[in-house]
Amino acid sequence: MANTTAIKREIKEQFDQNASSGGYFGSTWFVDSATGNDSYSGKYQDKAFATLSGGISAASAGDTIIVASGHSETLLASLEISKAVRIIGQGWSRR
C-alpha cells in the first residue's frame, strides 16, 4: 500500500499548482446511479458513469467529477482517491 502521507502531500501540491495557475481546467466527468452505466463515456450527463469508481478511474489530476442529485451506491470496500480531483454533488433528492 502506498504511503498515505506522501499521497496526501502530492494531492495538496497538485491542488496548489492548479490554484496558482488560475483554477481547474481539466475534464469534467459525470456520475449518476439512476441513469448511468460504467460502459458509457462519462463525458456528458446523459452518458454518465453509474459509479464513483468509474468516474475516478477515468479522471486525471485537476479534473472534476459531478455526482448527480440522488446518486446512491453501496461501497463494499474503501474507495481510494490517489489523484487531485474535485468531486461535486449537484444537490440532494430523495429517490
Side-chain angles (χ1 to χ4, degrees), residues 2-14:
N3 180 327
T4 304
T5 304
I7 291 172
K8 287 179 182 178
R9 186 178 315 115
E10 181 181 341
I11 290 171
K12 182 184 181 322
E13 288 171 3
Q14 290 173 357

Side-chain angles (χ1 to χ4, degrees), residues 11 22 24 27-28 32 43 48 61 63 70 84 94:
I11 290 171
Y24 299 87
S27 296
T28 301
D32 186 345
K43 297 294 288 176
D63 288 357
R94 295 183 183 171

Side-chain angles (χ1 to χ4, degrees), residues 3 13 16 18-19 38 45 50 53-54 60-61 73-74 81 95:
N3 180 327
E13 288 171 3
D16 290 347
N18 284 337
D38 281 348
Q45 280 187 297
S53 182
S60 298
E73 81 182 84
T74 301
I81 304 171
R95 283 194 191 169

Side-chain angles (χ1 to χ4, degrees), residues 2 4 10 12-13 15-16 18 32 41 43 49 52 56 59 61 66 69-70 75 78-79 82 84 87 89 92:
T4 304
E10 181 181 341
K12 182 184 181 322
E13 288 171 3
F15 269 105
D16 290 347
N18 284 337
D32 186 345
S41 71
K43 297 294 288 176
F49 292 117
L52 283 170
I56 292 166
I66 298 177
S69 178
L75 299 176
S78 63
L79 181 61
S82 59
I87 300 176
W92 68 278

Side-chain angles (χ1 to χ4, degrees), residues 24-94:
Y24 299 87
F25 298 102
S27 296
T28 301
W29 305 93
F30 295 90
V31 175
D32 186 345
S33 58
T35 62
N37 186 311
D38 281 348
S39 68
Y40 291 167
S41 71
K43 297 294 288 176
Y44 307 98
Q45 280 187 297
D46 63 344
K47 293 292 182 189
F49 292 117
T51 64
L52 283 170
S53 182
I56 292 166
S57 293
S60 298
D63 288 357
T64 300
I65 300 168
I66 298 177
V67 180
S69 178
H71 175 80
S72 174
E73 81 182 84
T74 301
L75 299 176
L76 301 177
S78 63
L79 181 61
E80 184 174 326
I81 304 171
S82 59
K83 48 192 156 187
V85 296
R86 288 192 305 171
I87 300 176
I88 301 172
Q90 287 186 316
W92 68 278
S93 71
R94 295 183 183 171

